[in-house]
Amino acid sequence: MSFGFTYNSPVGKWLGFIAAVWVQAISGNNYTFSNYSDALKSLMALTQLQLNNLSVAKDVGKAFGILAGLASDRLSTPVILLIGGIEGFIGYGVQWLVVSGTIKPLPYWIMCIFLCMGGNSTTWMNTAILVTCIRNFRKNRGPVTGILKGYVGLSTAIFTDICSALFASDPSTFLLLLAVVPFTVCLTAIVFLREIPPSSTNVEEKEEVKYFGVINVIAVIIAVYLLVFDISGPHGKVFSQFFAAILLVLLGSPLLIPIYLMVKKIIRENSVNLDVEGNNNIVEPLLLGEETVKKEVVVVAVVKVVEKRPRVIGEDHTIFEAMRTLDFWILFVSFLCGVGTGLAVMNNLGQMGLALGYTDVSIFVSLTSIWGFFGRILSGSVSEYFIKKAALPRPIWNAASQILMAVGYIFLAMALPGSLYIGSIVVGICYGVRLAISVPTASELFGLKYYGLIYNVLILNLPLGSFLFSGLLAGLLYDAQATKTAGGGNTCVGAHCYRLVFIVMSIACIVGFGLDILLTIRTKSLYAKIYASRKAKKASTVLS
């Protein structure tokens, strides 16, 4: 009795996806720097520029994601997950040893290396998860990336709220969680996640949509649950423990899908008696018919002709073929404008909050995470819906997020009462949209065959954007306004500390908006073909 579970069965397929969801729910550690950055700054007596360069170091780890991209075509999913889990355990484990006082502060350059390792660990996890799941559910790329990237966004709030609920936001304990929990979850995912054939019938596709809808509902419940906890004020110890227990139950609830499929299969197998012996009279032909041979020769000839001509958008591209297209660079630069500026806010939320007089900035970290989730999960499903219904190019949603992000930065620059709350929400939503839309867009433009490497080249924007907007722009402009402290660091208090930073970033978003509009125009014919292909397939299924 297999209890309905084999890797190639629907049960195995969905067990793998739920394991992927769990990995993504704990792999957003790269966005949590603000939760312990102030502890590092005071412990190591750093200036803001030095602290921001530490945050850049963790983002530089994303640049080495190219290694994960190359490995995705050569190593199995479990091996890639194991590498990511071990690297994160070491990177964040050493940071925990320093912040907890277990060891003395390491030299600055050594700390940069371990932060880089922690940042790089997520590229292995994300590559294993995204490449495998998009290939397993290639007919529903929007919902898949929306859900998976949505849980990445939620992971910051999950870690932050559990730590504040159980350990009073202690930065040392927070780093310990970042080291141990992702490693443990990756070991669990190794057992279940495999690349398997995608759905082949319209019925299977409809079932996938239904189950994705269930997971979306659960994810929204988790996000609202976290949001209510954040805005409901201080909580007692018993209430906080109860909150953490319910959160774990909610995170485990998607398991109901493979359990339902398993029970359904067992019932079906027990209710039908198959006469196996009566079906053994099928005789396979020893030789292919002449017509079949001719068809195969024609197919081979067509394939050879296709291989000789230049690739067009929508076909499988190698990374070098993709980089020779204008569309790749439009997507690359517009992505930089969105995620680079968003990372600058996330990396500096701690100092932004302190500059505006807030003593506890964890609420802003959680708000960015939770609303980033809503941006990711809604944009993935909505963009997929409008492709199927109206052939609307996916990049148009990136354009909408860029212009909204520009407005958010202007609002932050004005430093009105409550502006940091609103700014955190706007930046979270738009950053989430940017990630959730760009991932399937790249797969639709350049294909899935070499997607692991193309994805990791595209996310070079994370370290590049972090360096430009966080390390240089925010760090230098903050230090220009700050005053020295006795320990050798510096501090700045007031709205002027980041005003010019926000203005420059709003201009960058307007540039990104223009690029996204251009990409929308250039890919209009591609999405019209996708729409026509799906419509024709649906019509043929109905007729048959």
Side-chain angles (χ1 to χ4, degrees), residues 138-466:
R138 61 184 65 198
K139 304 293 177 60
N140 286 286
R141 300 181 198 187
V144 167
T145 54
I147 290 169
L148 294 178
K149 285 294 182 182
Y151 272 95
V152 173
L154 274 185
S155 65
T156 305
I158 291 170
F159 272 121
T160 301
D161 286 352
I162 286 181
C163 189
S164 62
L166 302 180
F167 310 109
S169 300
D170 176 53
S172 170
T173 308
F174 187 82
L175 280 166
L176 182 61
L177 288 176
L178 290 182
V180 174
V181 174
F183 177 68
T184 305
V185 175
C186 282
L187 291 180
T188 303
I190 283 171
V191 178
F192 299 106
L193 188 61
R194 298 288 188 280
E195 188 172 323
I196 59 177
S199 60
S200 57
T201 67
N202 197 41
V203 174
E204 288 180 300
E205 287 180 36
K206 287 183 178 180
E207 285 186 347
E208 286 181 3
V209 172
K210 179 175 66 176
Y211 297 140
F212 284 135
V214 172
I215 296 175
N216 273 331
V217 170
I218 293 171
V220 170
I221 291 172
I222 293 173
V224 172
Y225 183 66
L226 290 167
L227 184 61
V228 170
F229 180 79
D230 285 336
I231 65 177
S232 57
H235 310 96
K237 183 177 180 180
V238 175
F239 181 87
S240 297
Q241 291 174 342
F242 181 75
F243 157 81
I246 296 297
L247 179 58
L248 292 176
V249 170
L250 289 172
L251 289 171
S253 59
L255 271 176
L256 293 173
I257 292 173
I259 290 173
Y260 166 75
L261 290 172
M262 190 181 299
V263 172
K264 183 178 177 182
K265 182 177 182 183
I266 292 172
I267 293 173
R268 186 171 63 247
E269 287 178 348
N270 290 337
S271 62
V272 178
N273 294 319
L274 297 176
D275 186 6
V276 178
E277 295 181 359
N279 293 307
N280 289 333
N281 297 322
I282 300 173
V283 178
E284 293 290 338
L286 295 177
L287 297 174
L288 292 172
E290 185 179 344
E291 291 298 321
T292 304
V293 173
K294 288 180 179 179
K295 288 179 181 178
E296 289 189 352
V297 171
V298 171
V299 169
V300 171
V302 171
V303 169
K304 288 183 177 179
V305 171
V306 170
E307 287 178 349
K308 289 181 180 179
R309 67 168 173 77
R311 302 288 184 188
V312 297
I313 292 301
E315 296 178 347
D316 288 323
H317 288 61
T318 66
I319 183 58
F320 299 108
E321 289 171 338
M323 291 175 71
R324 286 198 291 267
T325 67
L326 178 60
D327 300 283
F328 177 86
W329 293 108
I330 294 173
L331 180 63
F332 187 90
V333 177
S334 70
F335 194 51
L336 173 65
C337 294
V339 299
T341 58
L343 273 176
V345 173
M346 294 177 190
N347 289 339
N348 289 274
L349 267 177
Q351 284 64 50
M352 288 176 182
L354 294 173
L356 294 177
Y358 297 97
T359 55
D360 183 8
V361 297
S362 62
I363 178 65
F364 303 114
V365 177
S366 290
L367 284 175
T368 304
S369 173
I370 293 168
W371 287 98
F373 157 79
F374 284 119
R376 297 172 199 228
I377 203 165
L378 291 176
S379 62
S381 297
V382 170
S383 65
E384 193 75 24
Y385 173 82
F386 279 100
I387 290 174
K388 293 177 179 178
K389 294 297 181 182
L392 187 65
R394 215 185 288 268
I396 192 67
W397 303 101
N398 277 337
S401 72
Q402 291 278 55
I403 202 67
L404 180 60
M405 188 177 264
V407 173
Y409 290 143
I410 293 172
F411 197 80
L412 283 168
M414 296 170 65
L416 299 172
S419 62
L420 194 55
Y421 286 95
I422 297 174
S424 299
I425 293 170
V426 171
V427 170
I429 292 173
C430 297
Y431 186 87
V433 170
R434 181 83 248 188
L435 283 175
I437 295 297
S438 298
V439 170
T441 298
S443 73
E444 287 158 347
L445 267 58
F446 308 114
L448 286 172
K449 188 174 182 180
Y450 307 101
Y451 179 67
L453 184 55
I454 291 173
Y455 165 74
N456 278 287
V457 171
L458 188 62
I459 64 170
L460 286 175
N461 277 300
L462 297 178
L464 179 60
S466 179

